[in-house]
Amino acid sequence: MKSSSLLAIAGLALGAAAPASAWVLEDCPPEKKAALVAYEQQVRQAQPGSPLYVPHPYPDTLPKLLADLEHSFRETWRTTPEKQVPAEDRRLLEALAGGKVRAVWEPVQDWTFIRCGRPGGLGLGDLVLLRLSDEAGQPLGRFALRESGHWAAAEFPQEGLEAAENRRAEGEFGSAAELASRWRASLAAEPSGAQWVVTHGTVRCPLVAPCLVFRAGGESYIVQRGVLFRLVLGGNLPRASELLSNLPRTAATNAVFAQVELGKRHLVTVGFDRVVFAERVEP
């Protein structure tokens, strides 16, 4: 797993779990941040056999990140007879164990309430998304890990028409700054602060298919599947916990959904419990 062959094939080193310029429009409140710190201590102190254990807590290199991913998958199937383990999982584990993996990775900011922890004090934090292929370049899948090193989500390759639809849904993935620069001409402004994000709302960006966000010309933008939206940061919308839950609707939430249902605006989470409108930018 830590062999030089893996490093030679991957050709990448994992820097900080998040870029120095990482930003969120509503950060976790102090009590949630304290819970995240406590959670980090628990993870770092966890021993083998604990559900919080990973070989390399809060990994800071690519080999450590891949080792944590391999550990998560082996733990998932630990009590399952080998013949019953899905073929795609076995293929992934064989590639990881042999050090024959190519990896493209990017840090991802979690712009949902989950970044600040789940009920009961479980801290989660932000993410790293890995796109893995074998040494021949054949895709192994996309894998999201929390910054702690815990596996969060996976998506394995599909074939035929399903694969084409899957690629369309995922959109492009790679350097956030490079992809944001493609919008320079149409916006007549220099993009900055480009990063990948996970969101909830009607502009939904799941763990294995995050969206690109950046700032340009005094505005903030999000790109979902190649479609550009401007984030409307003014106003005072109800909280995400009111709008995106099963709670009964109120006059305030009805007013918001009236605009969404007319197709004029979309909703997107931008941090702990904040949601804003997003307006499509026509080409």
Side-chain angles (χ1 to χ4, degrees), residues 25 33 74 89 156 180 262:
L25 293 173
K33 287 186 176 182
R74 291 201 182 282
D89 293 69
F156 290 99
L262 287 173

Side-chain angles (χ1 to χ4, degrees), residues 133-145:
S133 56
D134 62 21
E135 59 182 340
Q138 294 300 308
L140 291 168
R142 289 186 177 203
F143 306 91
L145 279 80

Side-chain angles (χ1 to χ4, degrees), residues 4-40:
S4 58
S5 62
L6 182 145
L7 289 173
I9 292 170
L12 294 168
L14 179 66
S21 58
W23 53 285
V24 63
L25 293 173
E26 180 172 276
D27 205 350
C28 306
E31 66 274 14
K32 293 289 186 179
K33 287 186 176 182
L36 289 174
V37 171
Y39 175 74
E40 179 175 347

Side-chain angles (χ1 to χ4, degrees), residues 8-278:
I9 292 170
L12 294 168
L14 179 66
S21 58
W23 53 285
V24 63
L25 293 173
E26 180 172 276
D27 205 350
C28 306
E31 66 274 14
K32 293 289 186 179
K33 287 186 176 182
L36 289 174
V37 171
Y39 175 74
E40 179 175 347
Q41 293 175 343
Q42 292 175 39
V43 172
R44 292 188 182 279
Q45 295 170 2
Q47 299 298 310
S50 166
L52 291 181
Y53 173 78
V54 285
H56 303 286
Y58 294 83
D60 56 2
T61 66
L62 181 59
K64 290 179 181 179
L65 188 64
L66 294 175
D68 284 349
L69 176 64
E70 181 180 359
H71 169 79
S72 292
F73 269 81
R74 291 201 182 282
E75 282 298 296
T76 298
W77 300 110
R78 182 168 52 87
T79 61
T80 303
E82 184 176 350
K83 292 183 179 180
Q84 296 180 22
V85 176
E88 59 266 27
D89 293 69
R90 292 201 308 270
R91 181 167 167 253
L92 171 68
L93 288 170
E94 288 170 3
L96 288 170
K100 300 177 180 180
V101 172
R102 296 177 185 268
V104 175
W105 72 273
E106 284 286 324
V108 178
Q109 305 302 302
D110 191 338
W111 277 17
T112 76
F113 70 92
I114 295 176
R115 77 186 302 268
C116 300
R118 287 178 172 163
L122 177 61
L124 291 172
D126 290 312
L127 304 128
V128 171
L129 180 62
L130 285 162
R131 186 177 65 198
L132 302 183
S133 56
D134 62 21
E135 59 182 340
Q138 294 300 308
L140 291 168
R142 289 186 177 203
F143 306 91
L145 279 80
R146 290 287 169 183
E147 60 185 348
S148 60
H150 294 97
W151 170 53
E155 187 166 80
F156 290 99
Q158 300 174 1
E159 298 179 357
L161 292 176
E162 287 185 351
E165 173 63 18
N166 192 45
R167 287 193 294 272
R168 183 197 68 79
E170 288 177 348
E172 295 185 90
F173 177 66
S175 166
E178 179 182 334
L179 292 174
S181 69
R182 300 180 184 180
W183 297 96
R184 182 188 299 116
S186 60
L187 295 174
E190 185 68 32
S192 64
Q195 61 183 26
W196 295 99
V197 298
V198 172
T199 67
H200 291 161
T202 57
V203 178
R204 183 175 175 273
C205 310
L207 293 172
V208 292
C211 293
L212 176 69
V213 298
F214 60 89
R215 296 181 171 118
E219 302 281 2
S220 297
Y221 297 91
I222 186 168
V223 183
Q224 181 201 45
R225 301 180 187 176
V227 178
L228 181 67
F229 297 88
R230 181 179 67 88
L231 300 180
V232 182
L233 302 182
N236 187 26
L237 298 186
R239 307 298 283 169
S241 53
E242 298 176 61
L243 284 167
L244 305 178
S245 69
N246 294 322
L247 294 174
R249 287 194 180 185
T250 63
T253 57
N254 277 333
V256 171
F257 282 112
Q259 296 189 57
V260 174
E261 288 162 1
L262 287 173
K264 293 182 177 180
R265 288 181 160 181
H266 300 265
L267 293 173
V268 59
T269 56
V270 293
F272 169 56
D273 197 26
R274 185 180 177 191
V275 64
V276 301
F277 282 126

